[in-house]
mmCIF file of all heavy atoms in Angstrom:
data_model
loop_
_atom_site.group_PDB
_atom_site.id
_atom_site.type_symbol
_atom_site.label_atom_id
_atom_site.label_comp_id
_atom_site.label_asym_id
_atom_site.label_seq_id
_atom_site.Cartn_x
_atom_site.Cartn_y
_atom_site.Cartn_z
ATOM 1 N N THR A 138 -21.130 0.635 -10.766
ATOM 2 C CA THR A 138 -21.338 0.884 -9.342
ATOM 3 C C THR A 138 -20.530 2.095 -8.930
ATOM 4 O O THR A 138 -19.454 2.370 -9.479
ATOM 5 C CB THR A 138 -20.918 -0.326 -8.490
ATOM 6 O OG1 THR A 138 -19.525 -0.596 -8.712
ATOM 7 C CG2 THR A 138 -21.731 -1.552 -8.849
ATOM 8 N N GLY A 139 -21.049 2.822 -7.975
ATOM 9 C CA GLY A 139 -20.349 4.008 -7.505
ATOM 10 C C GLY A 139 -20.750 4.370 -6.093
ATOM 11 O O GLY A 139 -21.837 4.005 -5.625
ATOM 12 N N ARG A 140 -19.835 5.077 -5.439
ATOM 13 C CA ARG A 140 -20.105 5.538 -4.082
ATOM 14 C C ARG A 140 -19.390 6.862 -3.891
ATOM 15 O O ARG A 140 -18.240 7.042 -4.319
ATOM 16 C CB ARG A 140 -19.594 4.520 -3.063
ATOM 17 C CG ARG A 140 -19.759 4.945 -1.605
ATOM 18 C CD ARG A 140 -19.167 3.917 -0.660
ATOM 19 N NE ARG A 140 -19.320 4.313 0.725
ATOM 20 C CZ ARG A 140 -18.510 5.163 1.361
ATOM 21 N NH1 ARG A 140 -17.462 5.703 0.721
ATOM 22 N NH2 ARG A 140 -18.713 5.479 2.633
ATOM 23 N N ILE A 141 -20.046 7.787 -3.255
ATOM 24 C CA ILE A 141 -19.428 9.071 -2.950
ATOM 25 C C ILE A 141 -19.943 9.526 -1.581
ATOM 26 O O ILE A 141 -21.100 9.286 -1.223
ATOM 27 C CB ILE A 141 -19.752 10.124 -4.021
ATOM 28 C CG1 ILE A 141 -18.971 11.417 -3.744
ATOM 29 C CG2 ILE A 141 -21.253 10.395 -4.101
ATOM 30 C CD1 ILE A 141 -19.035 12.422 -4.897
ATOM 31 N N GLY A 142 -19.052 10.158 -0.822
ATOM 32 C CA GLY A 142 -19.453 10.622 0.489
ATOM 33 C C GLY A 142 -18.264 11.115 1.284
ATOM 34 O O GLY A 142 -17.173 11.365 0.743
ATOM 35 N N GLY A 143 -18.461 11.221 2.550
ATOM 36 C CA GLY A 143 -17.401 11.676 3.436
ATOM 37 C C GLY A 143 -17.274 10.778 4.633
ATOM 38 O O GLY A 143 -18.229 10.107 5.032
ATOM 39 N N SER A 144 -16.070 10.766 5.204
ATOM 40 C CA SER A 144 -15.812 9.944 6.369
ATOM 41 C C SER A 144 -14.844 10.674 7.280
ATOM 42 O O SER A 144 -13.875 11.298 6.813
ATOM 43 C CB SER A 144 -15.235 8.587 5.946
ATOM 44 O OG SER A 144 -14.924 7.798 7.073
ATOM 45 N N ALA A 145 -15.085 10.637 8.580
ATOM 46 C CA ALA A 145 -14.207 11.312 9.549
ATOM 47 C C ALA A 145 -14.329 10.625 10.895
ATOM 48 O O ALA A 145 -15.314 9.935 11.171
ATOM 49 C CB ALA A 145 -14.570 12.786 9.673
ATOM 50 N N SER A 146 -13.285 10.786 11.721
ATOM 51 C CA SER A 146 -13.303 10.236 13.073
ATOM 52 C C SER A 146 -12.535 11.181 13.995
ATOM 53 O O SER A 146 -11.891 12.141 13.562
ATOM 54 C CB SER A 146 -12.672 8.844 13.094
ATOM 55 O OG SER A 146 -11.272 8.921 12.877
ATOM 56 N N THR A 147 -12.564 10.876 15.276
ATOM 57 C CA THR A 147 -11.866 11.706 16.274
ATOM 58 C C THR A 147 -10.505 11.126 16.645
ATOM 59 O O THR A 147 -9.909 11.516 17.648
ATOM 60 C CB THR A 147 -12.736 11.832 17.525
ATOM 61 O OG1 THR A 147 -13.028 10.529 18.048
ATOM 62 C CG2 THR A 147 -14.028 12.573 17.216
ATOM 63 N N ILE A 148 -10.007 10.177 15.838
ATOM 64 C CA ILE A 148 -8.694 9.595 16.109
ATOM 65 C C ILE A 148 -7.606 10.658 15.896
ATOM 66 O O ILE A 148 -7.674 11.447 14.941
ATOM 67 C CB ILE A 148 -8.444 8.381 15.198
ATOM 68 C CG1 ILE A 148 -9.487 7.284 15.490
ATOM 69 C CG2 ILE A 148 -7.039 7.834 15.370
ATOM 70 C CD1 ILE A 148 -9.387 6.094 14.576
ATOM 71 N N ASN A 149 -6.607 10.652 16.746
ATOM 72 C CA ASN A 149 -5.459 11.573 16.651
ATOM 73 C C ASN A 149 -5.899 13.036 16.629
ATOM 74 O O ASN A 149 -5.325 13.873 15.934
ATOM 75 C CB ASN A 149 -4.614 11.269 15.414
ATOM 76 C CG ASN A 149 -3.967 9.895 15.479
ATOM 77 O OD1 ASN A 149 -3.642 9.405 16.576
ATOM 78 N ND2 ASN A 149 -3.792 9.258 14.329
ATOM 79 N N GLY A 150 -6.949 13.334 17.338
ATOM 80 C CA GLY A 150 -7.352 14.727 17.479
ATOM 81 C C GLY A 150 -8.166 15.277 16.333
ATOM 82 O O GLY A 150 -8.482 16.470 16.323
ATOM 83 N N ALA A 151 -8.532 14.447 15.349
ATOM 84 C CA ALA A 151 -9.352 14.946 14.230
ATOM 85 C C ALA A 151 -10.778 15.218 14.709
ATOM 86 O O ALA A 151 -11.172 14.825 15.808
ATOM 87 C CB ALA A 151 -9.337 13.927 13.099
ATOM 88 N N ARG A 152 -11.533 15.871 13.848
ATOM 89 C CA ARG A 152 -12.896 16.228 14.204
ATOM 90 C C ARG A 152 -13.897 15.585 13.243
ATOM 91 O O ARG A 152 -13.600 15.390 12.059
ATOM 92 C CB ARG A 152 -13.071 17.744 14.165
ATOM 93 C CG ARG A 152 -12.208 18.494 15.175
ATOM 94 C CD ARG A 152 -12.478 19.986 15.067
ATOM 95 N NE ARG A 152 -11.691 20.735 16.051
ATOM 96 C CZ ARG A 152 -11.734 22.054 16.178
ATOM 97 N NH1 ARG A 152 -12.541 22.756 15.366
ATOM 98 N NH2 ARG A 152 -10.997 22.670 17.097
ATOM 99 N N LEU A 153 -15.087 15.312 13.793
ATOM 100 C CA LEU A 153 -16.146 14.729 12.946
ATOM 101 C C LEU A 153 -16.590 15.690 11.861
ATOM 102 O O LEU A 153 -17.026 15.285 10.785
ATOM 103 C CB LEU A 153 -17.355 14.341 13.799
ATOM 104 C CG LEU A 153 -17.182 13.146 14.740
ATOM 105 C CD1 LEU A 153 -18.482 12.880 15.489
ATOM 106 C CD2 LEU A 153 -16.768 11.897 13.973
ATOM 107 N N SER A 154 -16.462 16.990 12.106
ATOM 108 C CA SER A 154 -16.879 17.969 11.105
ATOM 109 C C SER A 154 -16.023 17.919 9.856
ATOM 110 O O SER A 154 -16.384 18.482 8.823
ATOM 111 C CB SER A 154 -16.851 19.378 11.715
ATOM 112 O OG SER A 154 -15.529 19.710 12.160
ATOM 113 N N SER A 155 -14.902 17.241 9.924
ATOM 114 C CA SER A 155 -14.042 17.110 8.732
ATOM 115 C C SER A 155 -14.713 16.322 7.621
ATOM 116 O O SER A 155 -14.230 16.294 6.481
ATOM 117 C CB SER A 155 -12.714 16.437 9.110
ATOM 118 O OG SER A 155 -12.004 17.202 10.064
ATOM 119 N N ILE A 156 -15.808 15.680 7.965
ATOM 120 C CA ILE A 156 -16.535 14.904 6.946
ATOM 121 C C ILE A 156 -17.021 15.783 5.807
ATOM 122 O O ILE A 156 -17.219 15.337 4.680
ATOM 123 C CB ILE A 156 -17.726 14.170 7.607
ATOM 124 C CG1 ILE A 156 -18.311 13.119 6.664
ATOM 125 C CG2 ILE A 156 -18.813 15.145 8.024
ATOM 126 C CD1 ILE A 156 -19.386 12.263 7.301
ATOM 127 N N PHE A 157 -17.184 17.089 6.104
ATOM 128 C CA PHE A 157 -17.690 18.020 5.090
ATOM 129 C C PHE A 157 -16.569 18.779 4.380
ATOM 130 O O PHE A 157 -16.832 19.706 3.630
ATOM 131 C CB PHE A 157 -18.636 19.029 5.746
ATOM 132 C CG PHE A 157 -19.830 18.381 6.407
ATOM 133 C CD1 PHE A 157 -19.924 18.321 7.787
ATOM 134 C CD2 PHE A 157 -20.828 17.798 5.645
ATOM 135 C CE1 PHE A 157 -21.009 17.715 8.403
ATOM 136 C CE2 PHE A 157 -21.914 17.192 6.252
ATOM 137 C CZ PHE A 157 -22.003 17.147 7.631
ATOM 138 N N THR A 158 -15.325 18.411 4.612
ATOM 139 C CA THR A 158 -14.181 19.083 3.985
ATOM 140 C C THR A 158 -13.640 18.227 2.851
ATOM 141 O O THR A 158 -13.907 17.015 2.786
ATOM 142 C CB THR A 158 -13.083 19.334 5.019
ATOM 143 O OG1 THR A 158 -12.564 18.074 5.465
ATOM 144 C CG2 THR A 158 -13.627 20.119 6.212
ATOM 145 N N PRO A 159 -12.886 18.827 1.940
ATOM 146 C CA PRO A 159 -12.291 18.029 0.865
ATOM 147 C C PRO A 159 -11.463 16.872 1.381
ATOM 148 O O PRO A 159 -11.402 15.814 0.740
ATOM 149 C CB PRO A 159 -11.439 19.054 0.107
ATOM 150 C CG PRO A 159 -12.110 20.359 0.362
ATOM 151 C CD PRO A 159 -12.629 20.272 1.760
ATOM 152 N N ALA A 160 -10.826 17.064 2.525
ATOM 153 C CA ALA A 160 -10.009 15.983 3.052
ATOM 154 C C ALA A 160 -10.843 14.772 3.434
ATOM 155 O O ALA A 160 -10.371 13.627 3.399
ATOM 156 C CB ALA A 160 -9.229 16.485 4.275
ATOM 157 N N GLY A 161 -12.118 14.985 3.799
ATOM 158 C CA GLY A 161 -12.971 13.874 4.201
ATOM 159 C C GLY A 161 -13.694 13.213 3.047
ATOM 160 O O GLY A 161 -14.402 12.216 3.241
ATOM 161 N N LEU A 162 -13.553 13.753 1.841
ATOM 162 C CA LEU A 162 -14.247 13.212 0.676
ATOM 163 C C LEU A 162 -13.683 11.848 0.272
ATOM 164 O O LEU A 162 -12.466 11.664 0.219
ATOM 165 C CB LEU A 162 -14.138 14.188 -0.502
ATOM 166 C CG LEU A 162 -14.796 13.736 -1.815
ATOM 167 C CD1 LEU A 162 -16.302 13.624 -1.646
ATOM 168 C CD2 LEU A 162 -14.454 14.714 -2.936
#
């Protein structure tokens, strides 16, 4: 089994676009 993707939220000033950055991987 495997899963890969990105996740991001606006908590603490973060942005949803971070989902496409290495940090959101």
Side-chain angles (χ1 to χ4, degrees):
T138 60
R140 177 183 180 278
I141 186 169
S144 177
S146 70
T147 58
I148 298 176
N149 296 329
R152 297 181 178 180
L153 290 181
S154 60
S155 299
I156 193 174
F157 300 108
T158 66
L162 179 65

